[in-house]
Amino acid sequence: MKSVFAFLSFLIGTLSLHAQKIEGQLLGTANEPLSATSIYLIGIENEDPLKTTVTDEQGRFEFERTQPLDFRILVQALGYEKYLSPVYHFEASPLQIPTITLQKATETLQEVAVVGKKKAFVEQKIDRIVVNPEVLISNAGLTALEVLEKAPGVRVDMNGTISLKGKQGVIVYVDDKPTYLAAADLASYLRSLPSSSIESIEVISNPPARYEAAGNSGIINIRTKKSKSKGFNGGVNLAYGQGTYARTNNSLNFNYHLNKWNFFSNVAFSENNTYQDLTITRKYFDNSGNLASTFSQRSYIKPNNRNQSARLGADYYASKKTTIGVLVSGFYNPSHRSTTNNALITDGNGQTTSTVKAYNPMDVVFKNGSLNLNLNHKFNDKGQELTVNTDYIGYDSKINQELYNTQSAPDGSVLNQSLLQSNLPSTIKIATAKADYSGIAVAKGSLDLGAKSSYVKTNNIAAFYDVVGATVTPNYDFSNDFTYQERIHAGYVNYAKDYKKWTVQAGLRLEYTHIDGYQSGNPVVRDSSFVKKYTSLFPTLYVQHRIDTLQNHVVGLSLGRRIDRPDYKDLNPFTYPMDRFTYYGGNPFLQPTFSYNAELSYTFRKKYTTTLLYSYIDNVISETNEQRGTTYYSRPGNFAKQVSYGLSFNAGFNFTPWWTVQCYAELMNNVFESSVYTETLNDSKWSWALAPTFQFTLSKRFTAELSGQSQSKALSGQFIIYPITTYRAGLAAKILKNKGTLKLNVSDILYSNQVRGDIRNIANAQAGWYSYFDSRVVTLSFSYRFSKGETAKQRQTGASETEQRRVKV
């Protein structure tokens, strides 16, 4: 009897709870249901949410019973005025809220909403981290490469190679278009892009299927600033920095929106004078392990880089649903670099056997031009649209350099002298076409389809000459002519669906790759060629679970497979000298790298995100090092396996109304297993990184900042990187009726951001380096913006999404 009574009590209680609901419907101005819109249930004393929910396809919503019994309904939807209901009183019976109809937002209300919103430095999204560089005072007057170093999980080494959460193979985009550059060339381009032109940086460690599959560790997308107002508006940014040498970064942008036309442009100029003081030490041993000789070289490298870039675009609004656009962009980057080398060679007893002095002047002209044509057509107001992009991009590089070498005996007498001259022209032509059809309603979810084709052709000519007196003789050992062609055809499908507390997204991408490489022969070396064809599938899956209605507890899971293709120049089989004792060579046998990535994250109160990471990488491409006699060879190679796993933590919170803290930390273990020529690499190492930022609001006009980064000893293939720490500080002031900003910042205050490392697993040899940079710089910047008119929607353009990263000129 007691069990029957208990069952009846439970049943009555359940029915009672079911009855205690708050229900309603949300409509737009034209009485159309507004789906997927957040509805907040708030108290009567403030607007802090007590509960939240999302409307279904008919605009309906419901809440379970609540305390306190008196409440209001709050709705804030993009493009509509804020809605705040009268006070309602909840009782035991269901409460039906009268239909809520939102009103279109006025221009004034839109401006108030935009001005009143304060950005955080880091924002956590469902599939990416968004970094807002302008929030940090210390970013003023810097370059895009320097800004990237401060993004969570991103590291930039001394050569400009970018890694994400301990893994190389990052694809870098600018405005959803790839840079098509790799390593040194990518670093050079990012140094020419001023921080003042950057709106945000998106770090996507596991991109969905609509993105290219290339990039083992993910994508970094740099979004540049674009005006969003009608009329004529824009901004100017000026910056001067002083370290040991001076540098400047300046940009100007404008936008003119009239009737059906919108014109936009950005021009930038920068000059960067700096230095690198690099010391390299190599020890050689005999077969018994006894020290045979030591090579110690100190190089003073002084580059002068001047960069000019421009982009000009126009959008024509053919109708309310169709827009046609064109974008022309390019850059012209002349530079000069002089390298002075002094080397000391000793025997096993430490006695000097010879000295070497070398001088290497280099003049480089690197230029680019690109054309984008795009079309966007919206089929309805629910997000169903077709976007078509075509791109044609050309790169041209001309390098002229000389390598002087003088080897002397311990008494100063000259043993030999040599002069090697070289002319290194290179061209790259890229054509791509892409179509995306998104927002197709299927089974109460959204389906996206797309396809892309790309064609790349590169030609690298290296003409080397030995000069003896007035006699110039071709050097056929180093000279070469390499042509490379690549075709990639891809298609993808992606499906996403929202449930009450769940979001699920699954995608599949197919890519077919066809590669042809041809090396022209000469009187010394025979010609050679290779052909590679392969087809690959790349699945992705995202699951997000919102545990409570306020989304104070959110769990996310992402899974994906990716590829990293060799850089174009890395497939060139020839070898060329970097100095008398160091040669760099390509590798035509490089295979693509495939990776399998998984992330499990937990976000608490939308402020604290903890992520577990795991990645398995097969045939990872990395620099390999080999010693042959007195010559040191560096070339790319395929490591057998890399496994990375660990934990990252990202948080942003306010200690007080005037003190804001942003902190990123990670703990990772990298495992490498590979054969390196005659040696075996089988090693693993845990490493950690910490990057806190403290911001202080001193008054309505003045703000201050103190930040830093610290990294423990880390393992990367054959390399061990020693700990690095750096500190920054800045001060900002609003002027000219808040339309202008002055910023003063100091980077690397303690001059501690210097790189040191060891190179291991070299047969009968050890190597290490230490590098000083011109890293402590005081920068003063000024920015001024003017804007009039109502908000105009911005569009994203670009068909190319991977090819540029792999260019090495």
Side-chain angles (χ1 to χ4, degrees):
M1 187 67 180
K2 288 183 178 181
S3 60
V4 175
F5 178 76
F7 174 75
L8 292 175
S9 298
F10 171 78
L11 182 61
I12 294 171
T14 303
L15 293 174
S16 175
L17 287 174
H18 180 73
Q20 296 180 22
K21 287 186 177 181
I22 304 167
E23 300 174 335
Q25 186 180 25
L26 181 68
L27 303 177
T29 305
N31 290 326
E32 74 279 11
L34 295 182
S35 61
T37 303
S38 296
I39 309 292
Y40 301 94
L41 189 149
I42 64 176
I44 61 175
E45 296 181 356
N46 54 52
E47 294 186 3
D48 292 339
L50 301 172
K51 288 180 179 259
T52 184
T53 189
V54 178
T55 57
D56 61 17
E57 289 187 344
Q58 285 73 44
R60 299 190 183 94
F61 63 89
E62 66 177 37
F63 294 98
E64 300 293 339
R65 63 176 181 174
T66 183
Q67 294 289 343
L69 300 179
D70 294 324
F71 65 91
R72 293 181 295 174
I73 298 293
L74 172 66
V75 184
Q76 289 179 301
L78 184 64
Y80 294 93
E81 292 184 6
K82 171 183 173 182
Y83 172 82
L84 186 61
S85 77
V87 176
Y88 292 105
H89 181 76
F90 181 74
E91 296 181 354
S93 57
L95 177 61
Q96 182 68 40
I97 302 295
T99 299
I100 300 172
T101 302
L102 300 185
Q103 301 300 317
K104 285 289 185 181
T106 63
E107 178 180 334
T108 303
L109 287 177
Q110 285 180 331
E111 291 176 354
V112 170
V114 172
V115 173
K117 183 178 180 180
K118 183 180 179 181
K119 288 184 179 179
F121 173 55
V122 175
E123 298 176 292
Q124 183 74 43
K125 304 294 185 181
I126 184 174
D127 60 351
R128 67 196 66 192
I129 292 175
V130 179
V131 181
N132 300 301
E134 263 197 341
V135 173
L136 294 189
I137 300 170
S138 58
N139 280 333
L142 302 185
T143 66
L145 187 66
E146 293 169 313
V147 171
L148 271 183
E149 293 184 82
K150 303 177 186 179
V154 177
R155 299 175 190 171
V156 183
D157 69 13
M158 58 182 290
N159 298 316
T161 302
I162 301 170
S163 61
L164 178 60
K165 297 179 180 178
K167 298 180 295 178
Q168 295 185 10
V170 182
I171 298 291
V172 177
Y173 291 52
V174 175
D175 290 328
D176 290 308
K177 299 177 63 176
T179 52
Y180 289 114
L181 302 170
D185 297 313
L186 175 60
S188 177
Y189 169 70
L190 293 177
R191 289 189 185 103
S192 72
L193 189 64
S195 62
S196 56
S197 65
I198 300 176
E199 178 70 29
S200 64
I201 298 173
E202 297 176 340
V203 181
I204 316 173
S205 56
N206 190 23
R210 69 172 297 159
Y211 286 94
E212 303 296 323
N216 284 324
S217 57
I219 288 172
I220 296 176
N221 185 30
I222 301 173
R223 294 194 179 276
T224 58
K225 292 177 179 176
K226 304 178 183 67
S227 176
K228 299 180 180 181
S229 299
K230 290 185 176 180
F232 183 80
N233 49 82
V236 60
N237 302 273
L238 308 172
Y240 174 82
Q242 183 66 55
T244 302
Y245 299 104
R247 61 206 68 190
T248 181
N249 282 288
N250 312 283
S251 65
L252 170 68
N253 64 81
F254 73 85
N255 183 86
Y256 184 60
H257 192 146
L258 179 65
N259 298 326
K260 291 188 174 184
W261 287 93
N262 182 54
F263 300 93
F264 52 92
S265 179
N266 180 280
V267 294
F269 167 78
S270 68
E271 182 168 356
N272 189 10
N273 297 283
T274 184
Y275 77 85
Q276 179 184 0
D277 191 349
L278 173 64
T279 299
I280 298 174
T281 302
R282 299 170 188 155
K283 295 181 179 181
Y284 309 119
F285 303 88
D286 59 27
N287 292 330
S288 300
N290 300 314
L291 180 65
S293 63
T294 300
F295 171 84
S296 179
Q297 181 185 69
R298 184 173 182 181
S299 302
Y300 188 81
I301 306 166
K302 188 178 183 304
N304 169 261
N305 301 305
R306 287 176 290 127
N307 309 283
Q308 300 97 42
S309 63
R311 58 198 306 271
L312 176 65
D315 290 330
Y316 175 68
Y317 303 99
S319 68
K320 291 183 178 180
K321 294 185 176 181
T322 304
T323 305
I324 303 171
V326 60
L327 175 65
V328 180
S329 63
F331 60 76
Y332 178 77
N333 297 344
S335 64
H336 174 79
R337 186 181 74 176
S338 62
T339 303
T340 302
N341 294 322
N342 290 285
L344 177 67
I345 303 173
T346 61
D347 60 21
N349 297 318
Q351 299 297 314
T352 299
T353 59
S354 65
T355 61
V356 178
K357 292 186 177 181
Y359 178 62
N360 178 209
M362 177 188 298
D363 289 297
V364 182
V365 176
F366 186 28
K367 56 186 178 180
N368 152 267
S370 65
L371 172 66
N372 167 259
L373 301 175
N374 57 85
L375 168 71
N376 177 265
H377 177 75
K378 300 183 182 299
F379 294 94
N380 53 43
D381 296 330
K382 296 182 180 180
Q384 186 175 344
E385 63 181 23
L386 172 67
T387 303
V388 179
N389 276 276
T390 60
D391 283 289
Y392 180 77
I393 302 150
Y395 288 93
D396 184 85
S397 173
K398 290 181 173 62
I399 301 176
N400 293 297
Q401 64 177 343
E402 297 175 324
L403 180 59
Y404 297 88
N405 274 281
T406 301
Q407 186 174 11
S408 304
D411 61 3
S413 60
V414 176
L415 298 176
N416 62 70
Q417 289 182 314
S418 65
L419 170 59
L420 183 67
Q421 294 180 338
S422 60
N423 180 22
L424 312 172
S426 175
T427 59
I428 303 172
K429 306 297 181 184
I430 302 170
T432 65
K434 179 184 178 183
D436 297 284
Y437 188 16
S438 59
I440 307 169
V442 175
K444 297 184 179 180
S446 179
L447 179 69
D448 299 340
L449 304 169
K452 177 189 172 181
S453 288
S454 66
Y455 172 76
V456 179
K457 182 178 181 179
T458 75
N459 183 245
N460 297 274
I461 297 175
F464 285 87
Y465 304 91
D466 292 311
V467 181
V468 180
T471 304
V472 179
T473 306
N475 185 313
Y476 292 116
D477 291 325
F478 296 139
S479 298
N480 69 90
D481 185 345
F482 179 66
T483 301
Y484 174 92
Q485 295 184 76
E486 175 187 88
R487 301 170 182 84
I488 299 179
H489 306 293
Y492 75 89
V493 58
N494 194 80
Y495 182 74
K497 186 173 182 178
D498 284 329
Y499 300 89
K500 198 166 188 179
K501 292 185 177 181
W502 293 82
T503 298
V504 179
Q505 177 177 306
L508 183 64
R509 186 178 186 89
L510 182 144
E511 292 189 353
Y512 168 76
T513 304
H514 182 166
I515 296 173
D516 295 282
Y518 177 72
Q519 172 67 58
S520 299
N522 60 44
V524 174
V525 181
R526 295 175 56 186
D527 59 357
S528 61
S529 63
F530 60 86
V531 177
K532 297 180 181 180
K533 301 178 183 180
Y534 52 90
T535 302
S536 303
L537 287 172
F538 303 95
T540 54
L541 174 66
Y542 303 86
V543 179
Q544 186 186 74
H545 177 49
R546 299 170 290 278
I547 297 176
D548 62 313
T549 57
L550 286 179
Q551 299 186 30
N552 284 329
H553 305 275
V554 179
V555 177
L557 173 68
S558 68
L559 304 171
R561 181 178 189 252
R562 301 192 62 75
I563 186 174
D564 192 23
R565 298 181 178 89
D567 295 325
Y568 306 129
K569 187 178 179 181
D570 285 346
L571 293 166
N572 188 337
F574 263 57
T575 299
Y576 62 89
M578 301 182 71
D579 57 50
R580 179 180 175 83
F581 300 96
T582 307
Y583 290 176
Y584 177 86
N587 184 354
F589 303 106
L590 285 174
Q591 299 297 317
T593 299
F594 292 93
S595 65
Y596 304 84
N597 307 291
E599 293 188 3
L600 178 64
S601 65
Y602 167 67
T603 302
F604 178 61
R605 293 187 176 178
K606 302 180 183 179
K607 295 181 180 179
Y608 313 94
T609 299
T610 303
T611 305
L612 292 172
L613 310 106
Y614 177 84
S615 179
Y616 175 88
I617 307 174
D618 192 27
N619 271 339
V620 61
I621 298 174
S622 181
E623 179 183 349
T624 65
N625 299 272
E626 181 188 19
Q627 190 72 37
R628 295 184 189 173
T630 59
T631 304
Y632 187 85
Y633 290 89
S634 174
R635 62 175 64 87
N638 287 107
F639 277 71
K641 181 175 69 173
Q642 177 185 353
V643 177
S644 299
Y645 55 89
L647 180 73
S648 70
F649 175 74
N650 190 56
F653 52 92
N654 297 332
F655 271 132
T656 69
W658 52 269
W659 183 6
T660 301
V661 179
Q662 179 74 43
C663 184
Y664 175 82
E666 70 177 31
L667 178 65
M668 296 291 298
N669 187 30
N670 280 322
V671 181
F672 290 91
E673 296 181 12
S674 178
S675 297
V676 185
Y677 304 107
T678 60
E679 303 300 295
T680 299
L681 174 64
N682 189 348
D683 201 358
S684 66
K685 189 172 188 60
W686 285 93
S687 62
W688 56 263
L690 180 66
T693 299
F694 305 94
Q695 292 181 300
F696 309 93
T697 303
L698 306 179
S699 67
K700 291 183 178 180
R701 292 183 58 192
F702 291 93
T703 56
E705 176 188 303
L706 180 64
S707 61
Q709 283 178 297
S710 187
Q711 173 188 314
S712 70
K713 184 182 288 188
L715 170 68
S716 178
Q718 286 183 270
F719 298 88
I720 285 286
I721 313 298
Y722 281 77
I724 303 173
T725 300
T726 183
Y727 303 95
R728 302 177 293 268
L731 181 68
K734 295 180 180 179
I735 59 176
L736 303 177
K737 298 181 179 179
N738 293 334
K739 292 184 178 181
T741 304
L742 275 176
K743 295 182 179 180
L744 178 69
N745 67 76
V746 185
S747 62
D748 198 19
I749 298 172
L750 301 182
Y751 200 57
S752 55
N753 190 22
Q754 312 303 332
V755 183
R756 183 164 74 98
D758 294 331
I759 307 174
R760 307 172 308 147
N761 298 95
I762 304 174
N764 296 327
Q766 293 178 355
W769 81 91
Y770 196 99
S771 183
Y772 280 99
F773 294 93
D774 192 8
S775 57
R776 182 165 54 200
V777 181
V778 179
T779 303
L780 178 66
S781 69
F782 167 74
S783 62
Y784 180 80
R785 302 189 181 283
F786 55 92
S787 179
K788 296 181 180 179
E790 63 186 55
T791 299
K793 187 173 183 180
Q794 293 303 305
R795 303 171 55 245
Q796 299 175 5
T797 61
S800 309
E801 296 177 350
T802 57
E803 293 79 10
Q804 291 192 44
R805 179 190 68 92
R806 298 162 53 216
V807 174
K808 280 186 179 178
V809 247

